[in-house]
Each structure stands twice: as structure tokens, then as C-alpha cells.
Amino acid sequence: CMQIFIDTADLNEIREAYSWGIVDGVTTNPSLIKKAVDRRPGLSMRDYIRDICRSVEGPVSLEVKGVSTEQMVQEAEMLYERFNPVNGNVVVKVPVCTAMEDGQPLFEGIRAIKTLEGRGIPTNATLVMTAEQALMAAKAGATYASPFLGRVDDYLRTKLDIAFDKSDYYDPLCARHLEEQTWEEEASGAELYDRLMRSDISDNGIYSGVDLVDSIVTIYDAYGFDTQVIAASVRNARQAREVAEMGVDIATLPYHVIEDMLTHPKTLEGMQLFTRDVVPEYEELFE
């Protein structure tokens, strides 16, 4: 069964969602934690994180801040030693690649994940934007890999100069159809191939964030990797449904997306009829 993590640092949201009986863990980040702490004067960030760990019986992802292997390993050990004793559920988020510009080291995150795996500290390889990155994270022993499907959609829509709101669904079938239109004109095989390559609107063969998750799930299944896939940066209920259809291990969802997954106009209408159909004789059964 697909697990659902809630992607927030708001304790009220975490506790409310956990009370529904469907939330299995929490993912968060430093900026979300700071915003949440700022709304609770007098409470330290350290105590606030402890409260998050106590609030769920499932994994809680906390991030390192360094960019070198040595920094990330040291920070991961500190986070794990400081917060895991609270409820035994800390997972350390490590960027799969910490390079911020050309020429910087590429494998610091992978090395850190491998080192932490050897020391028994569970890791969440974060900022995964390609299936190739996810493959390397799994080979390094990451407990989880988090492809950011919403950010991949943003990248592809920006590449196409499409105006969008982040909550908008991006349909890869439309993108593929745009490419296929190139085939409809008469031309030689070489000309069609060249035209199609120049009109490629994918990201190295990936047509959406959901498409990326599908690719990673396929690779992991093919080789029996133990690394679990967390579909991250999910922006709407349709994306959550689509990653569930492909058998993703986990989806980490904002509070509003979890709410959207339970709503439908016909359900609202049905509830009106449902309550209207309760006749007095049936009501007496409950007295």
C-alpha cells in the first residue's frame, strides 16, 4: 500500500492529518520549520523539532546543511544523535548532488549517503531530478529517494514558455502530441529525425514529473533495490493518484493536496441526498 507522508512543519497540520489515520510520516525542510517556529514565540527550534518527532509514529526527514561529504556526515550524525532518541524515527535528508555550478564536486552527496548507510543512519536522497540520480542514490544505499516531480514540471513548462500556476496539472500526453505533429509533414527519414530531435520538449526523454517517478519505479523494480521512492513536490491530487497507479512506495503531500484527494462535487451532492433520505422511522433506530 502506498504510504502518505505530510510535507509540512506545521504541528497543527501534522497532528490533524495524523489523527485521520492515513498519514505515515513527515518530510520537512529548514525554511518550513523556521516559519512554523516563528508562529510559536518562546519555543526553540530544537524543542519544536522534538515535538514533530513525537507527533507521528513514522519517519521524520530532517535536512543537513553542508555541501561536502565530511560536513554532511557530521551534521547527519548530530541530527540523528540529537533527535532520533525522541521517538526513533529520524531520517536524514542528503542532497543527491551538492554542486551549484559547473566545476564543483558532483559526488559529495552520494559519498555521504554511502558513509551514513555504513553507519546505520537512514537517509533520504533529496533533490532528485533524474532517474539516473535515483539509480546512483540506490546504489549508494539510500533508504529513500525523493524525485521532485513538481519541480520537473516547472522546468519543462518554463522550457516551453508556458504560463502556469504551480498547482496546475501538467499533461505529458499534450507534450508528446506536440512532438508527434513534426511527423505529419512529408520529409525524408533523415529530415524527420533531425526535425524531431530539434523539437524535443522532454528532459532527456522524461516528459513530466510523473513520468520521472514511473522511470525510477521501473528501474528499482528491475534490480530489486531496497531504496523506497518518495514522490515529492506533488502539487495536486491528480499527480498523487498517478504515482499511486504506478506503485510508488510513498507520496509526500502538502496538507491541501491530502484534503483535495477526498473531495468531489458529486460526493458533496450525494451527502445532501444521503441525509435527506433519512426518514423518521430510520432515525428512531438510533434512539
Side-chain angles (χ1 to χ4, degrees):
C1 179
M2 183 184 79
Q3 292 188 316
I4 294 177
F5 291 178
I6 185 167
D7 189 26
T8 184
D10 187 308
L11 268 173
N12 292 331
E13 290 185 345
I14 292 170
R15 288 167 176 166
E16 175 63 20
Y18 192 68
S19 74
W20 300 336
I22 59 166
V23 170
D24 304 288
V26 176
T27 57
T28 187
N29 62 54
S31 61
L32 289 178
I33 295 172
K34 183 180 187 308
K35 289 177 183 176
V37 171
D38 288 345
R39 293 193 292 267
R40 291 175 176 251
L43 187 65
S44 71
M45 184 172 288
R46 188 174 299 187
D47 287 339
Y48 193 87
I49 293 173
R50 289 194 176 106
D51 284 344
I52 292 175
C53 293
R54 291 189 190 99
S55 296
V56 294
E57 295 301 323
V60 175
S61 287
L62 303 175
E63 288 188 12
V64 296
K65 61 179 179 61
V67 296
S68 71
T69 299
E70 292 73 18
Q71 288 173 323
M72 289 185 284
V73 168
Q74 182 180 24
E75 291 164 4
E77 290 179 327
M78 183 276 294
L79 287 171
Y80 195 71
E81 290 170 4
R82 180 168 290 168
F83 298 110
N84 194 59
V86 174
N87 202 18
N89 56 354
V90 167
V91 175
V92 180
K93 289 171 73 174
V94 177
V96 70
C97 178
T98 59
M100 289 176 271
E101 56 185 43
D102 291 341
Q104 292 185 339
L106 298 175
F107 287 89
E108 298 301 283
I110 294 297
R111 289 173 55 208
I113 289 167
K114 185 64 177 179
T115 302
L116 293 169
E117 188 267 341
R119 298 181 186 182
I121 296 178
T123 55
N124 178 356
T126 192
L127 291 177
V128 172
M129 305 296 177
T130 71
E132 295 89 339
Q133 290 175 331
L135 173 59
M136 287 190 279
K139 285 184 65 65
T143 313
Y144 305 97
S146 291
F148 277 43
L149 61 94
R151 296 196 194 181
V152 170
D153 284 354
D154 294 347
Y155 173 71
L156 289 166
R157 286 181 288 201
T158 301
K159 184 178 177 181
L160 289 170
D161 198 25
I162 296 173
F164 64 93
D165 182 86
K166 284 192 174 182
S167 63
D168 292 341
Y169 177 76
Y170 178 63
D171 193 338
L173 294 178
C174 291
R176 290 180 185 272
H177 180 65
L178 288 173
E179 283 190 351
E180 288 169 1
Q181 289 181 347
T182 308
W183 295 58
E184 296 175 1
E185 300 177 20
E186 291 187 8
S188 68
E191 289 172 331
L192 280 174
Y193 181 84
D194 181 63
R195 191 181 303 162
L196 183 59
M197 290 301 293
R198 285 187 284 109
S199 65
D200 179 16
I201 55 178
S202 71
D203 181 20
N204 195 29
I206 297 297
Y207 286 83
S208 72
V210 169
D211 195 23
L212 169 62
V213 175
D214 190 26
S215 177
I216 295 170
V217 169
T218 299
I219 292 169
Y220 282 13
D221 286 349
Y223 295 103
F225 285 118
D226 292 329
T227 302
Q228 295 189 63
V229 181
I230 303 178
S233 186
V234 176
R235 303 277 176 75
N236 51 66
R238 181 168 172 176
Q239 289 177 327
R241 184 196 78 212
E242 289 179 342
V243 296
E245 288 172 345
M246 64 186 59
V248 78
D249 300 295
I250 303 153
T252 184
L253 311 172
Y255 187 90
H256 72 88
V257 172
I258 300 176
E259 288 185 317
D260 289 346
M261 290 173 69
L262 206 60
T263 62
H264 190 277
K266 294 302 286 185
T267 304
L268 299 177
E269 178 189 292
M271 276 306 301
Q272 295 169 11
L273 297 172
F274 182 87
T275 55
R276 191 183 308 158
D277 287 342
V278 179
V279 296
E281 291 84 354
Y282 194 80
E283 287 185 353
E284 291 176 0
L285 295 174
F286 298 90
E287 294 178 357

